[in-house]
Every structure is written in structure tokens, then in C-alpha cells.
């Protein structure tokens, strides 16, 4: 589904990603772990097409297409979703409006008709209930006054509504208490199918108890320095990054 080949990325003229290779097939869940400042969020932003992330060499192919040729919103249309490490607050824009606009943007990109307000409400009620998100929170401005955990849960509602082919979740587990972690994990597992792929970026093994990855990679200093199965996450937790990678 996605193939990243010898990727180099500069941020503010400084090289952050330094020759990264990663291939993820449909049906797979991969986890990337690594120390702070390794370049995990930079990789996520680069896949999403964030401005000021300058790819100096290498390629990213998504479903056979050159992803780097596409604008951020086109990448979303193609089925890419990014759950932010630090979800932004958008005062003045209701959560419901935000999600319906995003969904209809994707539908238009694919040549489909807009979803009506009534249809959308039906969909969002189901998704909100699945993720134990209060409907009142969906009427509020996007993330404004939400706790850290509520923001992360909100990212999962967005993901469920957009139903992406490939979801990159950047530290979606941080700031969650144990009940929220379970709910969010259920949301991720619901998105796990034969025709989807998921990249989990996480500091902690804890999330991986609930969402079992097929592959675990260690990202250090802008490169993947080690790959393995779920046992690698346990080893990292026990011994730390310095000893394992
Ligand atoms: P991680 O998510 O693995 O903790 P990041 O990708 O956020 O790491 O950051 C990698 C490195 O890039 C860090 O040294 C960070 O300071 C630097 N960096 C990230 N964003 C910027 C930016 N906008 N300007 C300058 N440096 C940045
Ligand atoms: Mg970090
Ligand atoms: Mg980060």
C-alpha cells in the first residue's frame, strides 16, 4: 500500500529524516517507536504533506501513485489520515461542521455526491457511540476546552468518519487514562481490516497490548535502525532504546 524509499527530509534547512525505508501492505499494522526527537512526527507530517517539510531525496508511493506530487488535501482524498500528536483547537468551527466538511471534501475528490446533513447525523451518532464520545462535545468548537484525552478520542471519531485506507496515528495513546485507552484501541482495531493499513507511532508498549502490531520498528536519528515483531516492543520497554537499537 505504501512504500517509502530512501527518504530524506529537511525541516528549516536541517536534515531530520536521513534515508528512511518502510513498506506497509494492506491488512498490516506497523508500530514505530523511538526516542524523543528521532523524527517520528516529522515522518508523519511528511506523509500527510505538511508545508515546510522539504523532501530532498527519496520517494513515497501510495497505491502505486507518487504521493509527493499530491497536495495535502489530495492525499486525504486518496485515503490517508493523520491523527496528530498535538491536535489543534479551532475556535468558531463546530466539530460536526468540521467533520462533515472534511468528509464531503473527500467524497467530492472521489467524484461522489455530498452526504446530506441528515445522513451525516446518522453516521456520526453511530461513530460517536462506538467511541463513547458525547454528542454535546461534537457540537462544540473543534477541540476547544477539550482535555488531552478528549482531543485524542476526537481524532478517533474523525478517523472513523473518514474511514481512511491508511491511518498514521501519532502518539494517539498519550494522555489517555486506562478506560480511554481501551476505547481508543477499540476504535483503532475497528479500522483494522484486510483493505486498510495502520501506522502507530508510540512511545509506550502499553498501546500495543491492545492493538497488536504485525511489525515494530525503531526510529532513531532519522532512520529505521531495527525492525521486528511485537516482541521488539517488549524488549525496548525492558532495556531502553540505547541497548536495543
Ligand atoms: P519525534 O516525533 O520523534 O519526537 P520530531 O519529528 O518531532 O521527533 O522532531 C525531530 C527533530 O526535528 C527534533 O530535533 C526537532 O527539534 C526538529 N524539528 C521538528 N520540527 C521542527 C521545526 N518546525 N523547525 C525546526 N526543527 C524542527
Ligand atoms: Mg516527541
Ligand atoms: Mg513526535
Amino acid at each position: 500500500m505504501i512504500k517509502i524509499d530512501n527518504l530524506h527530509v529537511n525541516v528549516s534547512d536541517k536534515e531530520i529524516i536521513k534515508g528512511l525505508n518502510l513498506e506497509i501492505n494492506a491488512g498490516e499494522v506497523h508500530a514505530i517507536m523511538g526516542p524523543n526527537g528521532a523524527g517520528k512526527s516529522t515522518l508523519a507530517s511528511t506523509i500527510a504533506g505538511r508545508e515546510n517539510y522539504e523532501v530532498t531525496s527519496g520517494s513515497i508511493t501510495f497505491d502505486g501513485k507518487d504521493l509527493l506530487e499530491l497536495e495535502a488535501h489530495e492525499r486525504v482524498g486518496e485515503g490517508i489520515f493523520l491523527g496528530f500528536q498535538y491536535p489543534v483547537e479551532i475556535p468558531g468551527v463546530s466539530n460536526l461542521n468540521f467533520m462533515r466538511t472534511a468528509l464531503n471534501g473527500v467524497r467530492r475528490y472521489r467524484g461522489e455526491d455530498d452526504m446530506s446533513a441528515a445522513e451525516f447525523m446518522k453516521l456520526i451518532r453511530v461513530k460517536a457511540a462506538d467511541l463513547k464520545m458525547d454528542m454535546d462535545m461534537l457540537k462544540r468548537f473543534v477541540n476547544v476546552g477539550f482535555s488531552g484525552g478528549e482531543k485524542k478520542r476526537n481524532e478517533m471519531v474523525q478517523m472513523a468518519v473518514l474511514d481512511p485506507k491508511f491511518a498514521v496515528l501519532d502518539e494517539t495513546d498519550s494522555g489517555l487514562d486506562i478506560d480511554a485507552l481501551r476505547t481508543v484501541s477499540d476504535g483503532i482495531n475497528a479500522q483494522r481490516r484486510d483493505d486498510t493499513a495502520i501506522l502507530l507511532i508510540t512511545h509506550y508498549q502499553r498501546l500495543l497490548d491492545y492493538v497488536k502490531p504485525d511489525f515494530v520498528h525503531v526510529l532513531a536519528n532519522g532512520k529505521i535502525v531495527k525492525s521486528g515483531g511485537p516482541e521488539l516492543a517488549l524488549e525496548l520497554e525492558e532495556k531502553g532504546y540505547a541497548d536495543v537499537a
Side-chain angles (χ1 to χ4, degrees):
M1 182 177 286
I2 189 155
K3 186 168 194 280
I4 303 176
D5 190 31
N6 192 28
L7 186 72
H8 291 254
V9 181
N10 280 7
V11 184
S12 307
D13 288 328
K14 189 176 158 215
E15 186 166 67
I16 306 294
I17 301 289
K18 306 171 183 175
L20 185 140
N21 298 296
L22 180 65
E23 202 171 339
I24 304 179
N25 297 305
E28 292 175 354
V29 174
H30 290 234
I32 287 190
M33 304 181 78
N36 255 322
K40 302 182 298 297
S41 293
T42 301
L43 174 64
S45 292
T46 305
I47 293 171
R50 187 166 166 187
E51 273 176 285
N52 303 323
Y53 287 71
E54 190 202 347
V55 175
T56 55
S57 64
S59 64
I60 307 181
T61 315
F62 179 68
D63 264 352
K65 288 190 181 123
D66 180 358
L67 195 71
L68 299 176
E69 287 294 310
L70 301 178
E71 301 288 332
H73 72 274
E74 295 173 320
R75 298 184 194 194
V76 177
E78 293 291 336
I80 289 183
F81 175 86
L82 172 60
F84 290 105
Q85 179 171 1
Y86 303 109
V88 290
E89 300 185 3
I90 315 178
V93 177
S94 87
N95 228 345
L96 284 172
N97 236 325
F98 176 73
M99 286 190 216
R100 189 171 155 228
T101 304
L103 178 60
N104 282 335
V106 166
R107 289 170 69 102
R108 278 179 212 172
Y109 180 83
R110 296 179 184 160
E112 296 165 12
D113 289 339
D114 277 14
M115 190 177 268
S116 72
E119 265 181 292
F120 177 75
M121 286 313 291
K122 224 155 98 184
L123 172 74
I124 193 86
R125 280 210 170 86
V126 173
K127 300 302 183 189
D130 286 348
L131 288 154
K132 301 188 171 67
M133 171 73 105
D134 197 59
M135 279 306 284
D136 283 344
M137 298 207 68
L138 292 170
K139 291 175 191 153
R140 282 164 55 180
F141 296 150
V142 179
N143 290 324
V144 176
F146 287 25
S147 71
E150 286 165 347
K151 286 179 181 173
K152 296 293 179 169
R153 201 185 288 246
N154 202 27
E155 297 282 294
M156 293 302 97
V157 178
Q158 291 169 20
M159 176 175 78
V161 166
L162 293 175
D163 187 19
K165 276 195 251 181
F166 178 49
V168 180
L169 305 179
D170 194 359
E171 301 202 18
T172 294
D173 50 335
S174 67
L176 297 181
D177 61 32
I178 197 76
D179 291 335
L181 180 67
R182 281 214 180 102
T183 309
V184 161
S185 302
D186 288 347
I188 300 171
N189 283 322
Q191 193 58 32
R192 183 174 199 169
R193 303 190 304 253
D194 285 349
D195 63 342
T196 63
I198 298 171
L199 178 59
L200 300 171
I201 295 173
T202 181
H203 266 302
Y204 302 106
Q205 141 68 22
R206 191 176 78 141
L207 173 70
L208 307 180
D209 286 335
Y210 297 95
V211 185
K212 212 97 232 99
D214 300 296
F215 300 94
V216 174
H217 311 277
V218 181
L219 178 58
N221 196 22
K223 271 188 207 170
I224 288 185
V225 293
K226 192 166 180 152
S227 297
E231 73 288 344
L232 179 56
L234 294 166
E235 197 186 336
L236 285 167
E237 183 109 325
E238 196 184 317
K239 297 181 186 158
Y241 293 115
D243 277 359
V244 175

